Amino acid sequence: MKSIVIRQPNALVIEERDIPQPATGEVRVKVKLAGICGSDSHIYRGHNPFAKYPRVIGHEFFGVIDAVGEGVNPARLGERVSVDPVISCGHCYPCSVGKPNVCTSLVVLGVHRDGGFSEYAAVPAHNAWRIPDSIEDKHAVMVEPFTIAANVTGQAKPTEQDVALIYGAGPMGLVTVQALKGVYRVKQVIVVDHIPERLVMAERSGADLTINNSAQSLQAVLDEKGIKPTLIVDAACHPSILQEAVNLASPAARIVLMGFSNEPSSLAQQGITGKELTLYSSRLNANKFPVVIDWMEKGLIDPDKLITHVMDYRHVTDAIERFEKDRLHCCKVLLIFAE
Ligand code: NAI
């Protein structure tokens, strides 16, 4: 089989490898589609602190079960599945409180262990989630990015009364907008970004108001409109945003952080305690595959609004470069591994 391997930073090869045999408790997935995420590019460029090389990247993937290991029901052969990349131990403290996404021995497919940019991948059977026939392939491969939004909303518990402010109209901001509007019917969703083309995508995903904060002061626009956000999601992830979010937030608001920067955010406690704000962080997803599959079945979210490119996996280098450089027009790039 062919696998897309990052041998070391900036060295991507399409390598011939043996087709894996599923171990006990595993299934083998014949991969049909995979999605490119920022973290694939970070591993490629050597900017992901968790990655070990060589690595088959890819943690957003969909395919069909074509072999099962010992202990797995053979009735699963032929099942269409999307794969949850989060592999957890099931018994440490975070796992025991429903947070396998921060398991003390967390393994993420495509980061710590070989992932889905490959013609075949062996994965734990319980990570392979059955996709109902009503969900088409190119939507099924988008389950994983929407689980990031499901995790954010699982923390912040949006309501119809919320006025939400989303920093960043990249893929993560857009999936969050869709969840807030489509699933939670949040009254007003405001998106702020530096890139006008991305703000257009945010409107397409349901944003009620967009603000370009390279052209206008966000604070001035919100003040002029009398808006105090009750829920703020930082999907832009610059360390300076947290202090601004604290300043902008309504009393009793919730703020959700998604960033992994190791630069400090300067912050005065008074701003947080004075308004009794709640700060959440959100990493990957905690058992959110069934949640998002349900959203898709009910038509509450529309993955098509994010997919801008579908390319053959043999053009992966071009695909990743386009994803990295063309931030105006490129959002989600899918790679086809098999029809
Ligand atoms: P992206 O880079 O495509 O999008 C980020 C957007 O934020 C860009 O459109 C950029 O113009 C905008 N932006 C940057 N600084 C801004 C500022 N000060 N104000 C307003 N907009 C600003 O990235 P993507 O894929 O959407 O991911 C966003 C972030 O989420 C990344 O930092 C990534 O590491 C993080 N992430 C976190 C996950 C988690 O589970 N916590 C999962 C996936 C991504």
Side-chain angles (χ1 to χ4, degrees), residues 11-317:
L12 182 153
V13 287
I14 299 180
E15 205 173 81
E16 185 71 31
R17 288 190 164 195
D18 291 339
I19 296 179
Q21 290 310 314
T24 301
E26 289 188 344
V27 295
R28 184 173 69 205
V29 178
K30 180 171 166 50
V31 178
K32 295 184 85 173
L33 285 166
I36 296 177
C37 166
S39 61
D40 298 311
S41 140
H42 294 156
I43 297 172
Y44 180 20
R45 302 301 176 194
H47 300 152
N48 183 313
F50 308 111
K52 299 268 180 297
Y53 301 89
R55 177 63 63 237
V56 176
I57 51 175
H59 60 273
E60 300 174 5
F61 59 108
F62 159 79
V64 175
I65 294 179
D66 87 324
V68 296
E70 218 178 293
V72 180
N73 186 347
R76 296 201 66 184
L77 285 165
E79 203 174 276
R80 298 167 68 242
V81 291
S82 281
V83 179
D84 185 344
V86 173
I87 299 177
S88 56
C89 74
H91 50 257
C92 65
Y93 170 71
C95 284
S96 75
V97 295
K99 292 184 179 252
N101 51 325
V102 285
C103 172
T104 54
S105 44
L106 177 69
V107 170
V108 181
L109 290 170
V111 180
H112 308 94
R113 169 176 157 173
D114 283 343
F117 284 9
S118 189
E119 288 181 297
Y120 295 86
V123 303
H126 59 259
N127 284 60
W129 288 90
R130 192 182 71 79
I131 297 296
D133 292 344
S134 61
I135 298 177
E136 59 180 300
D137 294 3
K138 73 181 199 316
H139 291 183
V141 70
M142 295 290 289
V143 170
E144 197 279 342
F146 277 97
T147 63
I148 306 296
N151 211 67
V152 166
T153 55
Q155 305 275 54
K157 304 202 173 17
T159 71
E160 291 182 7
Q161 284 75 49
D162 272 314
V163 173
L165 172 66
I166 314 300
Y167 279 90
M172 289 304 107
L174 298 178
V175 289
T176 306
V177 172
Q178 285 205 22
L180 291 175
K181 289 306 289 187
V183 180
Y184 294 92
R185 306 279 165 208
V186 165
K187 184 168 65 183
Q188 189 177 27
V189 174
I190 304 154
V191 178
V192 57
D193 201 295
H194 299 321
I195 305 175
E197 287 79 357
R198 290 203 154 185
L199 292 173
V200 172
M201 293 198 75
E203 280 162 21
R204 212 180 305 145
S205 273
D208 301 294
L209 173 67
T210 59
I211 300 169
N212 182 340
N213 60 344
S214 67
Q216 291 166 289
S217 148
L218 174 61
Q219 170 103 54
V221 177
L222 295 183
D223 284 352
E224 190 204 314
K225 295 183 183 296
I227 295 172
K228 287 267 177 215
T230 59
L231 168 58
I232 301 181
V233 179
D234 177 11
C237 307
H238 188 278
S240 64
I241 290 173
L242 180 55
Q243 177 67 71
E244 185 179 70
V246 166
N247 293 342
L248 297 174
S250 158
R254 295 91 81 213
I255 298 176
V256 188
L257 303 177
M258 299 176 67
F260 291 91
S261 172
N262 57 9
E263 297 290 320
S265 298
S266 114
L267 198 61
Q269 289 186 27
Q270 194 181 49
I272 302 174
T273 318
K275 297 188 201 173
E276 202 175 326
L277 302 179
T278 306
L279 294 191
Y280 292 101
S281 62
S282 182
R283 180 175 185 191
L284 301 164
N285 89 90
N287 302 315
K288 299 298 188 224
F289 268 61
V291 172
V292 172
I293 291 167
D294 182 56
W295 291 357
M296 282 191 186
E297 265 196 295
K298 292 182 174 146
L300 303 178
I301 50 174
D302 183 358
D304 283 335
K305 292 185 172 147
L306 273 78
I307 301 168
T308 51
H309 298 74
V310 183
M311 298 170 73
D312 188 286
Y313 80 91
R314 282 163 287 213
H315 300 140
V316 61
T317 308

